[in-house]
Amino acid sequence: MKIISASWVVSCDENDRIIKDGAVVFDEKIIELNTLLEIEKKYPNIEIKKLEKNSILMPGLINSHVHLEFSGNSTTLKYGNFYAWLNSVIRYREDLINKANTKLITAKLEKMKKTGTTTIGAISSYSFDIEACINAPINTVFFCEVIGSKADMIDTLFADFKSRLNNAKKFASKNFIPAIAIHSPYSVHPFLVRETLNLARSENLAVSSHFLESREEFDWLHKDEGSFLEFFKNFLNQEKAVSKPMEFLNLFSNIKNLSFTHCVEASNNDLEKIRDLGASINHCVTSNRLLNNTKLDLDRLGEIPFTIGTDGLSSNNSLSMFDELRNALMVHYDKNVVEFSKKLIKAATVNGSRALGLNKGKLEKDFDADMITFTLPDKIEEKEDLFMQIILHTKFVDNVIIGGEYV
Ligand code: MCF
Ligand code: FE
């Protein structure tokens, strides 16, 4: 059993409990939290790690959507328009993937840890990132991706996907959890979607898919036109989209831990369906800004919970969740900065945990003891400003605790 105390303990629980001069008792799970005074009385014989003044203790951040295999990109890919980006990915993919070896990905994961991330949803296209994920202290929900729209390729693609998934399953542990990613409605044949989802149901695996990220995708899926038509004609000899958005969504019934990434161009009907499926939306604000000059209209989500994902370095200049939270705060300038900051921190903790099917994201009895600590530059005068000040001022953390261990 261990105890740690901080100037502010931020629980991220249902009541948004914040404890001034608080302490947390934990082993691999959270045992209890209270004021330092009460905890000292109750556990007089246990040494307490007391953090300096202006310290914050909160749940570790959950980056629900990242492509580590694209970590080789910094200045190569084209931004500003999805079609231009897509063509640049096709052109440079080989080079970028080769650059992102285990050593490079390990270094990126280490940096993610130092910037407060304790759990990731890693979208893996080839399993080239598996070794780095397995060996990192960070928890990984490892989404093996299926992709391919050509009917005559389904068997080959499904076999390749299954072999990657089976290999991932060999390494399953409490901090490496195999899962399934469907790339998108435009790039995966519905038969392939159906087969992979059957597997997800029978093995109770989390599922995630990109969905309506760009205007180009919208025009192609709804009307079989626009620049995707040129792309599909040239590369795949295909003139029609393989499924309409609603047909695609209908395939996802009875998936327990389900999330859709982006959804920027989703219709109100699509969003209703996403809500009825009990799914979450992974919000990648920087990626949407860079690739599409758009932002998700959060007011349209209603009850659908959203999470925070950086996406990969293929569509972001940083994998730091605090950078991403700052971007979200700035891009959604129509929202009240104080209230929205709280919403963002919950998106990056509890909501991320829900989307990935985990027991994390809040400091509450029996939840996994994944915590971060850091220090604000000065004291907090207004308690209600705490979430906003955390987002504005935090770049690196001082301590990272995962499963009750300092890592
Ligand atoms: O999320 C971004 C933008 N949207 C779609 N796909 C990707 C992103 N970053 C990397 N990708 C990968 C995707 O996982 O690109 C490949 C897939 O393997 C498809 S070709 C764009
Ligand atoms: Fe993505």
Side-chain angles (χ1 to χ4, degrees):
M1 193 187 283
K2 296 169 190 158
I3 305 182
I4 184 168
S5 78
S7 315
W8 299 94
V9 172
V10 180
S11 72
C12 295
D13 69 6
E14 274 79 38
N15 307 315
D16 300 317
R17 183 172 175 210
I18 294 172
I19 309 169
K20 189 170 188 314
D21 299 316
V24 176
V25 186
F26 61 98
D27 49 21
E28 63 180 45
K29 305 275 179 198
I30 307 286
I31 296 170
E32 73 170 292
L33 48 161
N34 209 329
T35 58
L36 175 60
L37 228 62
E38 288 301 318
I39 295 291
E40 276 178 324
K41 262 193 255 165
K42 190 163 169 188
Y43 302 88
N45 300 320
I46 297 184
E47 192 194 341
I48 300 182
K49 183 178 171 79
K50 292 184 179 163
L51 300 175
E52 59 186 304
K53 66 173 194 293
N54 306 320
S55 53
I56 309 281
L57 174 62
M58 65 172 281
L61 300 176
I62 298 178
N63 184 346
S64 62
H65 182 95
V66 57
H67 303 256
L68 294 169
E69 291 164 321
F70 288 79
S71 294
N73 179 59
S74 54
T75 55
T76 303
L77 296 176
K78 188 87 194 115
Y79 294 154
N81 160 289
F82 192 79
Y83 190 52
W85 176 83
L86 189 58
N87 281 305
S88 73
V89 170
I90 304 289
R91 184 154 176 203
Y92 300 110
R93 174 157 49 184
E94 188 87 0
D95 289 353
L96 293 176
I97 299 293
N98 288 336
K99 230 196 271 178
N101 55 24
T102 298
K103 188 167 166 229
L104 183 110
I105 294 176
T106 300
K108 299 294 181 193
L109 284 165
E110 184 60 22
K111 182 120 187 242
M112 290 166 89
K113 189 188 93 182
K114 291 196 168 113
T115 50
T117 300
T118 52
T119 298
I120 59 173
I123 310 298
S124 175
S125 308
Y126 318 95
S127 279
F128 295 156
D129 48 352
I130 192 167
E131 194 182 334
C133 289
I134 289 165
N135 293 327
I138 287 186
N139 306 299
T140 305
V141 176
F142 192 75
F143 287 97
C144 297
E145 183 182 68
V146 66
I147 187 167
S149 59
K150 278 185 85 71
D152 58 356
M153 289 291 287
I154 290 173
D155 292 345
T156 320
L157 294 168
F158 191 51
D160 172 70
F161 159 78
K162 273 195 293 193
S163 95
R164 279 182 284 120
L165 181 64
N166 285 332
N167 184 52
K169 283 200 282 194
K170 285 192 221 148
F171 299 96
S173 72
K174 79 175 192 325
N175 75 346
F176 183 83
I177 301 161
I180 292 178
I182 311 271
H183 178 253
S184 78
Y186 62 85
S187 60
V188 190
H189 194 283
F191 289 1
L192 203 45
V193 177
R194 193 187 58 199
E195 292 307 312
T196 41
L197 289 179
N198 281 338
L199 213 91
R201 284 184 197 98
S202 67
E203 303 189 16
N204 200 13
L205 302 172
V207 175
S208 191
S209 176
H210 293 101
F211 186 72
L212 280 168
E213 169 174 19
S214 66
R215 202 60 215 175
E216 289 82 349
E217 179 177 344
F218 181 96
D219 289 340
W220 172 240
L221 294 181
H222 284 282
K223 299 177 277 186
D224 302 304
E225 63 183 37
S227 53
F228 269 30
L229 175 60
E230 180 188 303
F231 181 87
F232 276 94
K233 249 192 193 158
N234 287 348
F235 284 99
L236 298 155
N237 196 21
Q238 198 185 310
E239 292 191 26
K240 277 196 176 333
V242 283
S243 45
K244 298 271 178 235
M246 193 53 81
E247 291 166 2
F248 179 75
L249 291 176
N250 277 327
L251 299 169
F252 288 76
S253 56
N254 299 315
I255 300 288
K256 242 219 234 121
N257 304 117
L258 177 62
S259 62
F260 292 100
T261 305
H262 306 310
C263 303
V264 174
E265 306 294 340
S267 69
N268 287 339
N269 279 344
D270 296 339
L271 292 175
E272 257 175 50
K273 180 71 194 174
I274 288 172
R275 183 200 61 201
D276 293 346
L277 288 168
S280 306
I281 289 181
N282 297 316
H283 182 32
C284 305
V285 79
T286 310
S287 177
N288 297 153
R289 198 271 173 264
L290 292 181
L291 303 195
N292 294 296
N293 297 325
T294 49
K295 67 171 169 178
L296 179 64
D297 182 356
L298 296 170
D299 293 332
R300 290 174 60 230
L301 302 193
E303 298 152 34
I304 306 168
F306 74 91
T307 71
I308 305 293
T310 56
D311 223 344
L313 288 175
S314 35
S315 56
N316 203 323
N317 60 339
S318 167
L319 299 179
S320 157
M321 282 291 280
F322 283 112
D323 286 346
E324 191 66 16
L325 286 165
R326 274 188 289 280
N327 288 351
L329 199 59
M330 299 307 161
V331 167
H332 293 284
Y333 55 80
D334 53 324
K335 300 261 172 287
N336 174 290
V337 75
V338 172
E339 284 163 26
F340 190 56
S341 292
K342 189 202 272 186
K343 204 160 183 183
L344 285 174
I345 295 274
K346 304 264 312 242
T349 53
V350 261
N351 292 6
S353 173
R354 175 192 189 266
L356 299 177
L358 305 172
N359 193 41
K360 302 178 182 293
K362 49 180 152 179
L363 306 185
E364 191 175 297
K365 187 173 163 33
D366 296 333
F367 277 71
D368 295 347
D370 293 356
M371 299 182 275
I372 53 176
T373 85
F374 48 91
T375 315
L376 291 177
D378 203 350
K379 70 173 183 293
I380 291 289
E381 300 289 1
E382 302 287 337
K383 187 171 162 181
E384 63 163 25
D385 290 349
L386 192 56
F387 292 98
M388 177 186 70
Q389 303 300 6
I390 286 172
I391 293 177
L392 290 177
H393 293 286
T394 313
K395 294 200 169 56
F396 294 97
V397 298
D398 303 324
N399 292 285
V400 180
I401 299 164
I402 296 178
E405 300 293 333
Y406 287 83
V407 294

